[in-house]
Amino acid sequence: GINVALLYQPRLFKPLSHRSVRVPSVQQGFKPTRDILGVKGILEGKDTICLLVVHLPSKAGNKKSGDLNRMLAAQTLSHTIDSLTGQKLLVMGDFNADPRDRIFQHLVPPLHSLMPQKRKELQKPIGTYCYKGIWEFLDHILVSSELWPLIEHRAHVGKWSFLLNERGQPLRTFRGPISQDGYSDHLPIYVDMKSSQ
């Protein structure tokens, strides 16, 4: 698969350290999955924050195996979050799970989700991923209580026209081996943040 990465504006964020956290999928008999990327840095010269970037195992293929591997990745993420207790922490990425999935029992609390949680919101034709006309929120932003005062309490979906096909769905890069000239089969999410005074 594709490893995760962090893109940042050097004038706003200065990385201090980074590390990869291995999910022990192979040791448990699963296909290997992507590492969790951890980056610690300074935001606007004031706040030290920790970022975790994830792409949890897919639902594709054997559902039971995929669910177990995704749970293992979520548990690895949970242990990493525990090691950062007391930090300004933001976790983001493709969780391959909607907000009601049981993997979030390991993550919320101690973190706060910035994604829709209410059934009515989740039933609307919105989300970050669309499969056969059904929208889902598979991408998430979670933040620690220490970061909560500095951040908007709801993430936004970047549903800009250049990311969409003629049906208003994400314009994917490939369909099988054929290029679609798109960006991704997922839409980006973002949240506004301010630095402390």
Side-chain angles (χ1 to χ4, degrees), residues 119-139:
R119 184 180 300 274
K120 284 185 178 179
E121 287 181 294
L122 296 173
Q123 289 175 340
K124 291 180 180 178
I126 56 172
T128 62
Y129 180 77
C130 188
Y131 181 69
K132 294 185 176 179
I134 299 173
W135 284 92
E136 296 179 89
F137 283 98
L138 301 185
D139 305 272

Side-chain angles (χ1 to χ4, degrees), residues 7-15 42 44:
L7 303 179
Y8 61 91
Q9 289 280 4
R11 64 185 176 82
L12 298 176
F13 183 73
K14 179 184 178 183
I42 298 177
E44 292 190 326

Side-chain angles (χ1 to χ4, degrees), residues 9 18 21 46 54 66 125 134 148 151 155 166 178:
Q9 289 280 4
H18 70 276
V21 179
K46 298 175 183 176
V54 303
I134 299 173
W148 188 251
I151 203 158
E166 65 281 354
I178 301 170

Side-chain angles (χ1 to χ4, degrees), residues 64-171:
K64 184 177 180 182
S65 176
D67 286 349
L68 291 172
N69 199 10
R70 193 162 47 260
M71 182 60 74
L72 177 64
Q75 290 168 347
T76 304
L77 176 59
S78 179
H79 295 319
T80 306
I81 290 166
D82 288 345
S83 73
L84 297 169
T85 298
Q87 305 285 325
K88 292 185 176 80
L89 173 64
L90 186 146
V91 183
M92 60 184 165
D94 180 357
F95 285 72
N96 271 305
D98 73 34
R100 294 171 290 187
D101 194 287
R102 64 192 182 105
I103 67 167
F104 291 103
Q105 294 171 5
H106 295 274
L107 307 172
V108 181
L111 301 182
H112 306 277
S113 174
L114 303 185
M115 308 313 295
Q117 302 293 320
K118 296 177 181 175
R119 184 180 300 274
K120 284 185 178 179
E121 287 181 294
L122 296 173
Q123 289 175 340
K124 291 180 180 178
I126 56 172
T128 62
Y129 180 77
C130 188
Y131 181 69
K132 294 185 176 179
I134 299 173
W135 284 92
E136 296 179 89
F137 283 98
L138 301 185
D139 305 272
H140 299 264
I141 297 176
L142 311 172
V143 300
S144 66
S145 295
E146 290 77 11
L147 190 58
W148 188 251
L150 302 181
I151 203 158
E152 192 179 11
H153 294 173
R154 178 58 61 92
H156 305 280
V157 178
K159 206 170 182 180
W160 301 296
S161 59
F162 69 92
L163 298 176
L164 306 174
N165 63 22
E166 65 281 354
R167 296 183 305 279
Q169 299 170 356
L171 180 58

